[in-house]
Amino acid sequence: MKKHPDVKKVMLSNHQLLTRIEEMAEQISKDYQNTYPLMICILKGSSVFFAHLLGKMTIDAEMEFMAISTYGKGTTTSGEVRLLKDLDIPLEHRDVIIVEDIIDSGVTLNYLIKLLQARGANSVKVCCLLSKPARRRIAIDISYIGYEIEDEFVVGFGLDFNEKYRNLDFVGVLKQEMYK
Ligand code: IMP
Ligand code: MG
């Protein structure tokens, strides 16, 4: 969808997103040239970013999926992390890239990085489309960032509010009256 009445403004257009994602794919392909990285999509928010990113890579990569929940319903994190879908494969000797939609407090990623490292991965790096540095509660070392954004609640391109708006083809700021 290209427009939505609940969206106050477009923060990142489809063109901007795809351009940046292509650059990120090139960088990852270069950095992982002689490896076969295991790229983990964190469902559901990262799915749109993940598909575009992997489609622009020029090296082979393996795709895996995990689902994690921190937010119940709403726009603030509960701080509690639940593993809803785990990997089916071993991580020993693997170079893992966690692909995340947005890093906010850092609680989710902190949990995930520790979990994957404990399973014996050779390396664990983070690639996110968006980062909100102003809201960080736990410092996260992010190797690839699409865009750093202001502290505003955004939807679209996979990102939701109560499961809605994921199929917008841009990243937009939701009207306040939608969640207040
Ligand atoms: P963190 O654990 O606080 O870093 O939260 C990360 C998760 O919160 C993301 O994977 C999103 O699912 C969700 N989230 C954080 N900020 C936003 C936002 O602005 N829009 C939609 N989802 C968000
Ligand atoms: Mg979410």
Side-chain angles (χ1 to χ4, degrees):
M1 274 193 276
K2 299 211 176 287
K3 269 187 180 163
H4 201 289
D6 299 349
V7 170
K8 187 169 72 179
K9 68 165 191 234
V10 176
M11 182 184 273
L12 297 162
S13 70
N14 183 261
H15 179 74
Q16 279 176 300
L17 291 163
L18 298 190
T19 305
R20 181 70 189 118
I21 292 168
E22 190 161 357
E23 288 171 4
M24 296 171 85
E26 276 170 22
Q27 189 62 54
I28 293 171
S29 302
K30 214 190 220 173
D31 295 349
Y32 285 81
Q33 217 160 34
N34 298 311
T35 59
Y36 177 52
L38 173 64
M39 310 211 33
I40 303 179
C41 173
I42 309 304
L43 297 170
K44 305 171 201 169
S46 302
S47 56
V48 178
F49 172 43
F50 190 74
H52 282 95
L53 182 73
L54 274 82
K56 289 293 179 187
M57 284 174 55
T58 55
I59 57 165
D60 292 322
E62 191 173 345
M63 289 188 185
E64 272 293 335
F65 298 85
M66 287 179 91
I68 269 156
S69 139
T70 23
Y71 284 12
K73 286 203 163 103
T75 61
T76 49
T77 188
S78 61
E80 195 185 308
V81 182
R82 280 191 306 151
L83 192 53
L84 305 178
K85 185 210 176 303
D86 204 346
L87 299 171
D88 326 296
I89 56 159
L91 293 184
E92 284 91 20
H93 316 299
R94 298 306 304 268
D95 293 298
V96 174
I97 305 176
I98 302 171
V99 180
E100 180 62 303
D101 51 357
I102 185 165
I103 305 181
D104 189 51
S105 68
V107 171
T108 312
L109 251 298
N110 180 59
Y111 165 86
L112 209 54
I113 293 166
K114 292 208 167 113
L115 180 75
L116 301 183
Q117 281 172 341
R119 288 184 185 175
N122 183 53
S123 65
V124 178
K125 288 198 172 174
V126 176
C127 171
C128 69
L129 181 61
L130 307 173
S131 171
K132 284 186 197 169
R135 287 177 51 94
R136 204 75 86 240
R137 275 159 41 191
I138 303 176
I140 302 286
D141 181 12
I142 314 173
S143 301
Y144 309 96
I145 303 181
Y147 290 95
E148 288 201 335
I149 63 168
E150 300 290 309
D151 181 13
E152 278 183 298
F153 194 80
V154 290
V155 294
F157 213 78
L159 290 151
D160 73 308
F161 175 67
N162 290 351
E163 298 303 322
K164 208 170 168 185
Y165 313 112
R166 293 194 198 275
N167 63 317
L168 297 175
D169 79 349
F170 59 92
V171 170
V173 180
L174 205 55
K175 285 181 182 163
Q176 287 242 332
E177 61 256 41
M178 300 318 300
Y179 55 87
K180 284 281 147 70

